[in-house]
Amino acid sequence: MKAVKGWLLGRTSYTQSLPGARHHRTPPTKKRVWIIAVVSLITMFVIGAYMFPHHRNSACYMFSSNGCKALTDWLPPSPREFSDDEIAARVVISEMLSSPRVIEKTSKIAFMFLTPGTLPFEKLWDLFLEGHEGKFSVYIHASKDTPVHTSRYFLNREIRSDEVIWGRISMIDAERRLLTNALRDPENQQFVLLSDSCVPLRSFEYMYNYMMYSNVSYVDCFDDPGPHGTGRHMDHMLPEIPKEDFRKGAQWFSMKRQHAVITVADSLYYSKFRDYCRPGVESNKNCIADEHYLPTFFHMLDPGGIANWTVTYVDWSEKKWHPRTYMPNDVTHELLKNLTSIDAVSRVTSDGTGEVTWTPCMWNGIKRPCYLFGRKFHAATLNKLIDLFSNYTSMA
């Protein structure tokens, strides 16, 4: 008995912590096996529910009193099944993008001008283009008046044009019309959209090499969660254009030939913006087609193929519906030097936070100045720009 008593005394601290004298500990190994088994069972159920969507709700109540809704809210969303039209569009676009890009000595840049009439800076563009014949082509979409030309490079370069209304799909139609005409020349490998208030900020050689040998197209694109961004998305665009893929950006682009081709070929996504991206379609939303179509289109179909910024500088510091217009007194060598030295783009969303984000401008992985062109310049600045042209375009 002494021996037994001695053993019990030696175990006092242990036995006192047990609920009863006849308690037996479950071996740790068995506990681990049960935990693994339970976790495996739950994991198998979750994977099965995700891969094989339920057809009857009764089974869901085994795990949740709220039924299948509770489970579907918790599970990650299953990939949406594309329609036949979406599959066809994506296959065709993928094939177009896979075609090799060939840059030769005869490769040209297409300058596409979107203007209501006469281009006030033709004389400046003449200085810019002179001596580089065979490396560029010019296309003019004049929506209101027949242009009066002052440069030989612009003579007889008008295409068939139609009315353009700011903020409406007619702006996209004009862009696609310019691209279609420019694509008829197989030597055009780069396509730049410009307005009547655009001016060159660099020499032709610098601009040509910058665009022609870039590995991306310069299409502006960013996510604005505010009312003037994602807030403009229309439910009518679903399911082809999800709200989370809706993007915003400036319309002034520079794109390579493959991207120009898929832009002209697109009918599925274009039709969504044609039919539903305009004021008054849904409540108080004011969808602006030229600010959303191309950014959304490329974000969905080739996000890695665009730079997400534009090579055309615009000053939005006045925070109005239209950007600042530079007047003669604004145009100085210092201004032009500052514009050509900018190497990061700023973003301000419309969600009211006022937060500004900066993104560096990368050219084939190297940080470089962002801008090759600038707008909006008033027609009265022409003479000043011509006087300064040789100096500011020669800056490295």
Side-chain angles (χ1 to χ4, degrees), residues 228-339:
H228 300 313
T230 309
R232 292 174 173 172
H233 178 271
M234 305 288 182
D235 291 340
H236 289 79
M237 295 178 172
L238 297 170
E240 290 84 357
I241 301 177
K243 187 173 184 178
E244 60 269 23
D245 288 334
F246 198 71
R247 292 297 183 270
K248 183 179 180 179
Q251 73 180 104
W252 312 106
F253 60 76
S254 168
M255 63 175 66
K256 55 187 180 181
R257 190 175 182 91
Q258 291 93 329
H259 282 156
V261 170
I262 67 171
T263 300
V264 170
D266 173 46
S267 61
L268 176 63
Y269 303 99
Y270 162 80
S271 66
K272 293 292 182 176
F273 285 87
R274 179 196 63 207
D275 297 340
Y276 306 119
C277 187
R278 64 180 186 273
V281 175
E282 290 179 15
S283 59
N284 295 322
K285 294 181 180 179
N286 190 30
C287 188
I288 309 298
D290 56 86
E291 291 185 5
H292 299 288
Y293 168 57
L294 286 181
T296 301
F297 178 69
F298 282 106
H299 171 73
M300 292 180 61
L301 298 168
D302 192 22
I306 60 174
N308 294 318
W309 46 275
T310 173
V311 290
T312 300
Y313 175 80
V314 181
D315 184 352
W316 288 99
S317 62
E318 295 180 346
K319 298 180 180 180
K320 297 179 180 179
W321 277 105
H322 296 284
R324 175 187 178 184
T325 297
Y326 291 105
M327 304 303 291
N329 290 339
D330 300 319
V331 178
T332 63
H333 184 272
E334 192 65 24
L335 169 69
L336 298 169
K337 180 181 179 182
N338 289 339
L339 297 186

Side-chain angles (χ1 to χ4, degrees), residues 54-62 64 66-69 71-72:
H54 57 273
H55 295 283
R56 296 181 61 186
N57 292 340
S58 57
C60 300
Y61 289 90
M62 292 172 60
S64 171
N66 293 326
C68 290
K69 186 179 186 305
L71 288 173
T72 54

Side-chain angles (χ1 to χ4, degrees), residues 8-271:
L8 289 173
L9 288 173
R11 299 281 291 181
T12 300
S13 61
Y14 175 70
T15 56
Q16 285 177 344
S17 65
L18 299 178
R22 293 184 61 83
H23 180 83
H24 296 286
R25 295 185 69 198
T26 303
T29 304
K30 289 186 177 181
K31 270 193 172 183
R32 286 197 295 269
V33 170
W34 273 106
I35 291 171
I36 293 171
V38 172
V39 170
S40 299
L41 181 63
I42 294 173
T43 302
M44 289 175 64
F45 175 81
V46 169
I47 293 174
Y50 180 64
M51 294 180 65
F52 306 101
H54 57 273
H55 295 283
R56 296 181 61 186
N57 292 340
S58 57
C60 300
Y61 289 90
M62 292 172 60
F63 289 86
S64 171
S65 60
N66 293 326
C68 290
K69 186 179 186 305
L71 288 173
T72 54
D73 288 345
W74 181 76
L75 291 171
S78 57
R80 178 177 64 85
E81 185 176 351
F82 290 140
S83 66
D84 289 344
D85 288 342
E86 287 177 281
I87 294 173
R90 288 172 178 267
V91 168
V92 170
I93 288 171
S94 178
E95 285 294 312
M96 291 176 178
L97 292 177
S98 65
S99 62
R101 188 178 182 220
V102 180
I103 306 301
E104 300 176 341
K105 289 183 178 180
T106 57
S107 295
K108 296 188 294 187
I109 293 179
F111 293 95
M112 307 181 303
F113 290 89
L114 190 58
T115 176
T118 296
L119 293 164
F121 294 106
E122 275 195 22
K123 288 183 179 179
L124 181 64
W125 285 104
D126 191 275
L127 283 175
F128 173 76
L129 298 171
E130 188 175 20
H132 304 288
E133 293 79 1
K135 287 186 175 291
F136 67 87
S137 52
V138 173
Y139 302 87
I140 304 169
H141 186 288
S143 59
K144 291 184 179 179
D145 305 316
T146 302
V148 177
H149 299 297
T150 57
S151 168
R152 60 194 183 279
Y153 301 124
F154 289 77
L155 285 172
N156 302 317
R157 300 308 302 165
E158 295 88 352
I159 67 168
R160 189 189 69 79
S161 304
D162 206 345
E163 182 184 22
V164 173
I165 301 174
W166 178 81
R168 299 301 181 107
I169 198 65
S170 58
M171 188 75 78
I172 301 299
D173 293 338
E175 295 174 10
R176 284 158 59 102
R177 201 173 291 123
L178 281 163
L179 284 171
T180 300
N181 281 270
L183 282 167
R184 295 172 67 183
D185 185 344
E187 293 182 344
N188 286 333
Q189 292 296 320
Q190 198 75 20
F191 303 78
V192 187
L193 182 67
L194 300 161
S195 77
D196 55 318
S197 66
C198 283
V199 301
L201 296 178
R202 294 285 186 173
S203 67
F204 183 91
E205 293 90 344
Y206 184 100
M207 177 277 309
Y208 184 91
N209 291 327
Y210 193 107
M211 289 196 293
M212 195 64 77
Y213 297 105
S214 174
N215 55 18
V216 294
S217 290
Y218 294 93
V219 176
D220 197 23
C221 176
F222 71 103
D223 183 12
D224 178 1
H228 300 313
T230 309
R232 292 174 173 172
H233 178 271
M234 305 288 182
D235 291 340
H236 289 79
M237 295 178 172
L238 297 170
E240 290 84 357
I241 301 177
K243 187 173 184 178
E244 60 269 23
D245 288 334
F246 198 71
R247 292 297 183 270
K248 183 179 180 179
Q251 73 180 104
W252 312 106
F253 60 76
S254 168
M255 63 175 66
K256 55 187 180 181
R257 190 175 182 91
Q258 291 93 329
H259 282 156
V261 170
I262 67 171
T263 300
V264 170
D266 173 46
S267 61
L268 176 63
Y269 303 99
Y270 162 80
S271 66

